[in-house]
Amino acid sequence: MKRTILSLAVISAAAIGLGMGEPDKQANKAPTRLDSMKKLAGTWETDDADKDGKPDGVCVFRVSSAGSAIVETMFPGTNHEMTNMYVMDGPDMLVTHYCAGGNQPRMKCAEQKDPKVFAFTFMDGTNLDPAKGNYMGGLTITMVDDDTITEEWTSFQNGKESPDKTIFHLKRSKANAGAGTK
């Protein structure tokens, strides 16, 4: 009997330490910029510029890690597949871009007046020297409406911003239309 009570006490203490048995802290937390991006969950497609009946590119957003991260997979299943991880660091939203080029620039979202615009600027990165080489150092995501977003990527070469932007116009896949409107 004593062993059972001791076991229950240990399990209860562990559950409380893990946040189980406590009131939901998320319920009392103010919404973050990351929360507003969660509506992007689903599959997004670029235009069909080559007119082959298929989108030229696909991006998939999913909410992960008990809602504390958003994973974006760009061009899944291709040789150019890349991953972006969006997370909060205190009051700041960050993105790490796991580039097909083998580097991982990290960018911070600046506060914007428009809640549908997320402008990220370079902070630091791994596997790169900002004064040398090529890396993505800027990203602006604009939520045009519930089913349309744009991503504007800015690359840097040898520490200087490239004048050319890579812009993706993405539409929510018809297979998951309305998925982000809850």
Side-chain angles (χ1 to χ4, degrees):
M1 181 72 168
K2 287 182 183 179
R3 187 173 263 171
T4 302
I5 292 172
L6 180 60
S7 295
L8 287 173
V10 169
I11 291 169
S12 296
I16 289 170
L18 293 173
M20 303 158 130
E22 291 183 11
D24 184 7
K25 290 180 182 175
Q26 298 286 17
N28 297 326
K29 191 175 119 185
T32 64
R33 298 281 284 161
L34 186 73
D35 292 326
S36 59
M37 279 190 66
K38 290 177 183 177
K39 68 172 95 175
L40 297 179
T43 302
W44 296 79
E45 301 172 340
T46 62
D47 296 329
D48 179 17
D50 60 8
K51 306 293 184 210
D52 67 354
K54 296 181 268 182
D56 293 339
V58 172
C59 292
V60 177
F61 287 84
R62 70 182 174 83
V63 179
S64 185
S65 302
S68 67
I70 297 171
V71 180
E72 176 188 12
T73 306
M74 302 174 76
F75 319 114
T78 70
N79 291 336
H80 287 70
E81 180 174 308
M82 295 178 276
T83 302
N84 301 311
M85 293 290 296
Y86 301 87
V87 298
M88 294 302 295
D89 182 22
D92 300 320
M93 184 164 60
L94 308 178
V95 62
T96 302
H97 173 64
Y98 296 87
C99 189
N103 55 37
Q104 302 80 37
R106 205 164 60 126
M107 297 168 263
K108 178 179 169 182
C109 186
E111 283 300 318
Q112 301 293 310
K113 290 180 181 166
D114 185 343
K116 294 183 176 192
V117 176
F118 302 83
F120 295 88
T121 56
F122 182 77
M123 286 178 36
D124 57 24
T126 54
N127 222 23
L128 64 86
D129 178 348
K132 301 176 187 171
N134 189 27
Y135 62 94
M136 289 296 175
L139 166 63
T140 300
I141 298 174
T142 304
M143 295 179 180
V144 178
D145 59 41
D146 286 342
D147 296 319
T148 311
I149 61 174
T150 60
E151 289 188 3
E152 181 178 295
W153 290 87
T154 303
S155 64
F156 286 74
Q157 180 71 41
N158 299 326
K160 294 186 174 31
E161 183 176 325
S162 170
D164 300 322
K165 308 279 186 199
T166 301
I167 301 174
F168 299 109
H169 300 281
L170 298 159
K171 293 273 188 190
R172 190 178 295 277
S173 170
K174 288 179 178 44
N176 73 325
T181 58
K182 293 179 184 177

